[in-house]
């Protein structure tokens, strides 16, 4: 049982067989289920050197212990011309062996224990994690600390990882999806901002062992770190274990507190962009500016987005494009939480080339409807109650609870954000949802990218659903060149 | 810097730590439906699922893809849910079927014209006859009227509102699995909704859903770099067995499957005596069993039972090769025919695959680290219900190194056939399997899925016994299965190479 203050439900033992089955599911009796959201402060400790740690015990869980050190740092620190450095570091801190144990021996020892030590590094944060059977904790933790503090970044491993990356780069134009990935980033944030910058053959070639070593030396500052631990552990005893290991880290000479994450400065040009890729289907992606999670509008915007396209098959876009028209397997929206700058409201779908113009028209119609008419009570309550009732599932296991708190801590978000999350949703009105649609679904600011057979997209579905792409929007249409997969320079 | 000395690892052949056995309560309802319960009170929720023993292997040419299309249809509602006027809805379905029968005749004509070379694409709107166009317009009118009566996705909405998560289903060649996780106070809602869709399903929006599945096929297969090649490879490996066709079906079949065929499929396979339900989570077994009997016990069994699949793949007489030039980098895949996942040799093949694959496996050591001929290697054993395959895979370190990688993959297999494997390697992979058994128990939905998977192919007891079978595999077993199954005759090789400079893309 995870000690999350969850009273187990008392089911009423009824004499069931005798009861008739109600005619409709709404007529079923419902016992109340009380769920209190776990509080970060109940799991948080501060290690000797000031590193915050979230220790979430799971006394009835399996005999597996997990420890993770998360750090603030990532590709936002990549120097210009060395794009791909942080990502390589994330994997090489583990794959490059340590000063005392060559990587093959390290792999072999951990594999024999069926233990795992894994490194990864993303755009703004990275982590090193340990997963080990309880009986091997001491050995596993020793290996973990060795990797964390004394990585060797062996040249042979770096060369192999680089080759791996180069092979991945070579596949950039192999599918409309992957083309859409890099082109859309450029349209939204330009080519130089870290969130859309891409590694090239040249930038990977410039990255040296010394770069990896320096990145490591810089990151390993207690002020950049957060720790999580979960499993069948005693919080007090485990704090002592962490104090002996991660808690004993001191900043080295080259250690630096990671700077704030920079927001993009790029000015977008709203419009419709087309990029050619032969195939039966186009990948369509669009974005309009959104907001940040801390904004007072957030709960209303969240419900608005849930109703529009975030709520899976119940959403309006899914009903219209998939159920009514059979145009797509899936259409979804996402409201970026805007962790470091205002996020976007994104929408994605794939449909046969000829149907793109029609499908887009339907998306825009649904957007207009949401702005024009108040949402129905039924639809509104499905979205709101769904989010409220499914709330406990966010805390379904010790590892995710620890991870949730650590992530908020690392990103400088308030640690009690989820405590009154359900109350905030309950206070949203249907009018506020419409207001959020009017405020944030400004389609004149839309950036839309279609990757597919440009000619078929332009022609549209002349026979069954005539109409040109983006008709009536008044946005310019631009054809983007494909880029060379290795250099990312536009192809002639 | 603070570092602890790295401790020596555990003694070589320490006694294994076996996962506790899974406390399953098993029960068969009066109509033959099997119920498996695992009571666990860590979380205030229940992972619920039911598996029907039917998948793409139960189809036939002309109706390929129907098992998967069917999975979609099960979300369309029932006589109670999904429409505001059940009588008119049923009438509209009937009228749509009549129109579709006439549309099919138009398509028959177009197929004939295609064979004669008079048209190039039977799906091009320009080739339709005026009558065909009228029929489509009439059909659209009916569909529009029906849409006005629909309570769209009512099943999903009821679940969503109740706080259900992970609501989905998936189809394999052998089984179809419907699952959802509900808050602990909504277990009866699950029983109500699921028994309702087994008792009174209505396959409305059938013809639109066909289009949805066509788009799904494009997205998963046709619009990907290697989808159509993977499909071709599968058909090369399985010549006679129904594993021959793709789970999602051939495009021609998806486009023409009828509601009548779907009804027949449902009547045959979606019977309680061909279904197992699995609940894992926060409930009391005694109450849950009574509830299951009350809700699911009312569904009539299919006394005729399910027709067995009698087609068996004949022994492969010669190796095959598929050379695919695609929008992708070089890859080498070698697939041997092996055994069903239920076969007594399956555990030894699983151990063999683990020894060859993985970060510290033999393929990685030889090809990636020692010889630098590959950047990635894998090995896996895929034991399906009726038959199985054993696969080794490599990504060459350069476009021109495929022959080298292919030879070295086979050399590592030959080495095991000649020299066998060490006790230490054996212990290492068995430890990994044990870790896997613990991990499977960590999550209610994962455990429910594993139990359902076992029920789909054989019985949940297979899952309970698996750790013991894997632990019992000896070095001699591994060498024996390598010699027996990884032979030249049963080999199918797929080599990918990058298609040379593409024509101007997309104009």
């Amino acid at each position: 049982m995870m000690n999350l203050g969850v009273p187990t439900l008392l089911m009423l033992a009824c004499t069931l067989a005798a009861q008739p089955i109600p005619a409709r599911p709404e007529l079923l009796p419902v016992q109340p289920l009380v769920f209190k959201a776990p509080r970060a402060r109940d799991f948080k400790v501060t290690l000797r050197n000031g590193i915050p740690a979230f220790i979430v015990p799971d006394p009835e869980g399996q005999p597996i212990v997990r420890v993770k050190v998360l750090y603030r740092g990532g590709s936002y620190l990549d120097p210009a011309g060395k794009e791909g450095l942080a990502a390589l570091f994330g994997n090489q801190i583990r794959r490059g062996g340590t000063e005392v144990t060559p990587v093959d021996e390290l792999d072999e020892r951990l594999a024999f224990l069926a233990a795992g030590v894994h490194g990864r590094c993303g755009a703004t944060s990275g982590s090193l994690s340990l997963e080990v059977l309880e009986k091997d904790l001491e050995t596993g933790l020793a290996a973990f600390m060795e990797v964390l503090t004394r990585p060797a970044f062996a040249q042979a491993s770096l060369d192999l990882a680089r080759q791996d990356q180069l092979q991945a780069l070579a596949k950039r134009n192999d599918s409309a999806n992957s083309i859409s990935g890099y082109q859309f980033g450029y349209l939204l944030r330009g080519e130089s901002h870290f969130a859309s910058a891409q590694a090239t053959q040249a930038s990977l070639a410039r990255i040296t062992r010394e770069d990896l070593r320096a990145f490591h030396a810089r990151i390993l500052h207690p002020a950049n770190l957060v720790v999580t631990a979960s499993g069948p552990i005693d919080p007090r005893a485990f704090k002592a274990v962490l104090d002996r290991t991660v808690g004993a880290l001191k900043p080295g000479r080259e250690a630096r507190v990671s700077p704030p994450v920079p927001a993009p400065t790029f000015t977008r040009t709203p419009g419709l962009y087309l990029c050619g890729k032969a195939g039966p289907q186009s990948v369509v992606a669009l974005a309009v500016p959104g907001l940040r999670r801390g904004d007072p509008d957030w709960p209303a915007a969240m419900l608005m987005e849930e109703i529009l396209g975030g709520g899976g098959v119940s959403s309006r876009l899914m009903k219209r494009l998939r159920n009514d028209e059979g145009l797509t397997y899936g259409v979804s929206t996402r409201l970026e939480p805007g962790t470091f700058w205002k996020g976007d409201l994104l929408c994605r779908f794939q449909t046969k080339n000829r149907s793109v113009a029609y499908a887009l028209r339907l998306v825009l119609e649904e957007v207009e409807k949401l702005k024009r008419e108040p949402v129905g009570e039924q639809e509104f309550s499905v979205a709101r109650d769904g989010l409220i009732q499914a709330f406990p599932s966010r805390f379904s296991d010790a590892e995710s609870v620890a991870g949730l708190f650590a992530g908020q801590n690392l990103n400088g978000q308030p640690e009690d954000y989820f405590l009154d999350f359900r109350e905030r949703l309950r206070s949203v009105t249907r009018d506020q949802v419409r207001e959020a649609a009017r405020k944030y679904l400004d389609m004149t600011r839309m950036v839309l990218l279609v990757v597919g057979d440009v000619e078929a997209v332009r022609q549209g579905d002349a026979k069954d659903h005539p109409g040109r792409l983006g008709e009536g929007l008044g946005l310019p249409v631009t054809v983007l060149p494909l880029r060379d997969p290795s250099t990312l320079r536009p192809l002639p | 810097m603070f570092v602890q000395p790295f401790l020596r690892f555990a003694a070589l052949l320490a006694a294994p730590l076996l996962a506790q056995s899974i406390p399953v309560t098993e029960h068969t309802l009066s109509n033959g439906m099997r119920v498996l319960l695992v009571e666990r009170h860590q979380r205030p929720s229940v992972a619920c699922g039911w598996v029907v023993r039917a998948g793409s292997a139960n189809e036939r040419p002309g109706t390929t893809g129907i098992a998967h299309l069917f999975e979609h249809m099960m979300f369309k509602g029932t006589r109670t849910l999904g429409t505001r006027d059940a009588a008119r809805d049923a009438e509209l379905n009937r009228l749509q079927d009549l129109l579709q029968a006439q549309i099919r005749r138009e398509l028959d004509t177009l197929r004939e014209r295609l064979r004669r070379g008079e048209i190039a694409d039977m799906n091009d709107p320009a080739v339709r006859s005026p009558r065909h166009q009228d029929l489509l317009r009439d059909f659209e009118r009916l569909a529009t009227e029906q849409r006005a009566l629909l309570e769209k996705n009512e099943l999903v909405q009821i679940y969503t509102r109740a706080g259900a998560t992970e609501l989905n289903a998936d189809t394999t060649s052998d089984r179809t699995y419907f699952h959802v996780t509900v808050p602990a106070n909504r277990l009866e809602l699950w029983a109500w909704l699921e028994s309702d869709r087994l008792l009174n399903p209505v396959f409305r929006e059938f013809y639109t859903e066909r289009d949805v599945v066509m788009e799904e096929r494009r997205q998963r297969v046709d619009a990907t770099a290697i989808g159509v090649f993977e499909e071709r490879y599968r058909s090369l490996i399985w010549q006679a067995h129904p594993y021959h066709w793709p789970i999602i079906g051939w495009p021609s079949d998806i486009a023409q499957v009828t509601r009548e065929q779907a009804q027949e499929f449902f009547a045959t396979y979606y019977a309680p005596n061909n279904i197992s339900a699995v609940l894992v989570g926060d409930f009391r077994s005694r109450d849950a069993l009574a509830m299951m009997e009350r809700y699911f016990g009312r569904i009539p069994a299919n006394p005729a039972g399910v027709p067995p699949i009698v087609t068996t793949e004949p022994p492969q007489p010669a190796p095959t090769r598929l050379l695919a030039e695609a929008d992708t980098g070089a890859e080498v895949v070698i697939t041997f025919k092996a055994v069903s996942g239920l076969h007594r040799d399956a555990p030894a093949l699983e151990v063999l695959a683990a020894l060859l694959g993985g970060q510290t496996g033999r393929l990685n050591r030889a090809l990636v680290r020692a010889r630098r001929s590959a950047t990635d290697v894998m090995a896996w054993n895929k034991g399906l219900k009726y038959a199985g395959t054993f696969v080794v895979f490599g990504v060459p370190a350069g476009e021109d190194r495929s022959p080298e990688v292919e030879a070295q993959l086979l050399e590592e297999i030959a080495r095991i056939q000649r020299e066998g494997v060490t006790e230490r390697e054996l212990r290492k992979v068995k430890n990994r399997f044990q870790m896997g058994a613990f991990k499977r128990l960590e999550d209610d939905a994962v455990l429910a899925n594993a139990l359902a998977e076992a029920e789909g192919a054989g019985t949940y007891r297979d899952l309970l016994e698996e750790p013991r079978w894997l632990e019992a595999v000896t070095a001699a077993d591994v060498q024996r299965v390598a010699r027996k199954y990884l032979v030249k005759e049963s080999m199918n090789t797929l080599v990918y190479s990058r298609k040379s400079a593409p024509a101007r893309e997309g104009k």
Side-chain angles (χ1 to χ4, degrees), chain B residues 33-143:
Chain B
M33 183 166 166
R34 269 221 291 262
V35 179
L36 307 179
L37 306 173
V38 182
E39 209 179 307
R40 314 207 298 177
H41 302 286
Q42 276 111 312
R43 284 163 285 276
S45 60
V46 186
C48 314
W50 52 274
V51 62
V52 54
R53 285 175 273 281
S56 61
N58 302 85
E59 298 159 352
R60 57 181 187 272
T63 65
T64 66
I66 199 171
H68 166 256
L69 176 64
F70 210 81
E71 173 215 312
H72 283 237
M73 292 324 299
M74 288 303 283
F75 287 84
K76 292 294 176 186
T78 65
R79 285 207 287 272
T80 316
L81 301 181
T83 182
R84 284 186 287 275
D85 183 346
R88 181 63 190 154
D89 179 73
E91 178 61 11
L92 287 167
N93 278 342
R94 196 184 62 81
L95 294 170
Q96 286 179 28
D97 291 345
L98 291 174
L99 278 176
Q100 284 290 337
Q102 298 179 63
I103 290 170
R104 279 199 298 279
R105 282 203 282 281
E106 292 290 326
L107 291 170
D108 293 343
T109 308
L110 288 176
R111 210 176 302 109
E112 164 85 11
R113 293 187 61 200
L114 187 68
R115 282 203 299 274
R116 292 184 177 278
E118 294 167 12
I119 58 170
D121 173 9
M122 58 186 282
N123 298 316
D124 180 357
V127 302
R128 293 175 200 153
S129 68
R131 180 179 147 73
H132 189 172
Q133 199 63 31
D134 288 346
L135 288 167
L136 287 172
R137 209 183 32 244
D138 293 347
F139 178 81
E140 195 46 47
R141 237 196 314 268
L142 293 174

Side-chain angles (χ1 to χ4, degrees), chain A residues 3 12 50 70 72 79 85 117 151 186 192 203 208 242 265 276 285 314 351:
Chain A
N3 291 326
L12 299 181
L70 301 97
R72 156 70 49 238
L85 166 60
V117 174
Y186 288 168
S192 55
S203 76
T208 63
L242 290 177
T265 53
S314 300
T351 186

Side-chain angles (χ1 to χ4, degrees), chain A residues 228-443:
Chain A
T228 63
S230 59
I233 49 181
D234 172 70
R236 188 164 306 191
F238 209 82
K239 175 179 188 296
V241 170
L242 290 177
D243 268 332
R244 267 205 322 274
T245 49
V246 191
L249 288 173
K250 292 187 178 62
R253 248 180 340 101
E254 299 170 65
R256 296 286 175 275
V257 178
S258 293
V261 174
T265 53
F266 178 78
T267 308
R268 287 178 195 179
T269 309
L272 310 176
Y273 298 85
L274 303 172
C275 181
K277 174 70 186 172
Q281 231 180 13
S282 288
V283 174
V284 184
L286 66 90
V288 287
L291 64 169
R292 299 186 67 171
R293 197 174 82 168
D295 191 303
D297 285 346
W298 180 262
M302 189 174 163
L303 280 175
M304 181 272 287
E305 183 268 340
E306 185 82 2
I307 290 165
L308 177 65
V313 292
S314 300
S315 76
R316 289 189 180 189
L317 292 179
M318 272 295 251
K319 280 181 197 163
R320 193 78 193 276
L321 271 67
R322 177 174 153 147
N323 296 146
D324 290 358
E325 304 280 347
L327 288 172
T328 185
Y329 176 52
V331 50
S332 62
T333 57
R334 196 162 71 84
L335 193 58
E336 292 182 323
T339 310
F340 301 106
W341 57 84
K342 274 187 186 178
D344 284 307
L345 192 147
L346 303 161
C347 173
R348 254 187 121 274
F349 60 91
Q350 288 178 231
T351 186
K352 53 187 175 298
N353 297 301
R354 269 191 317 117
S355 306
V356 172
Y358 180 54
L360 175 62
R361 196 163 84 221
L362 299 182
V363 170
L364 296 172
E365 278 177 20
E366 290 304 322
V367 164
E368 281 316 303
K369 222 181 287 178
L370 205 53
K371 291 163 136 176
R372 205 175 46 234
E373 307 153 16
V375 293
E377 181 54 51
Q378 158 85 4
E379 184 178 31
F380 177 67
S381 68
V382 166
R384 186 195 52 196
D385 299 353
L387 289 171
I388 290 172
Q389 297 302 326
F391 178 72
S393 68
R394 292 172 185 259
F395 308 94
S396 63
D397 63 86
E399 193 190 2
S400 353
V401 171
L404 182 85
F405 294 144
Q408 293 190 149
N409 185 289
L410 204 60
N411 294 332
Q413 293 165 317
E415 61 178 27
D416 51 6
Y417 175 80
F418 282 105
L419 288 185
D420 56 355
F421 176 80
R422 290 171 289 179
E423 285 62 43
R424 282 202 302 278
L425 280 175
R426 274 194 198 100
S427 69
V428 176
T429 66
R430 288 191 291 155
D431 277 341
Q432 285 173 327
V433 168
R434 186 172 52 175
E435 281 317 301
R438 287 175 179 172
K439 188 165 171 184
Y440 295 105
L441 297 176
D442 178 358
M443 303 323 264

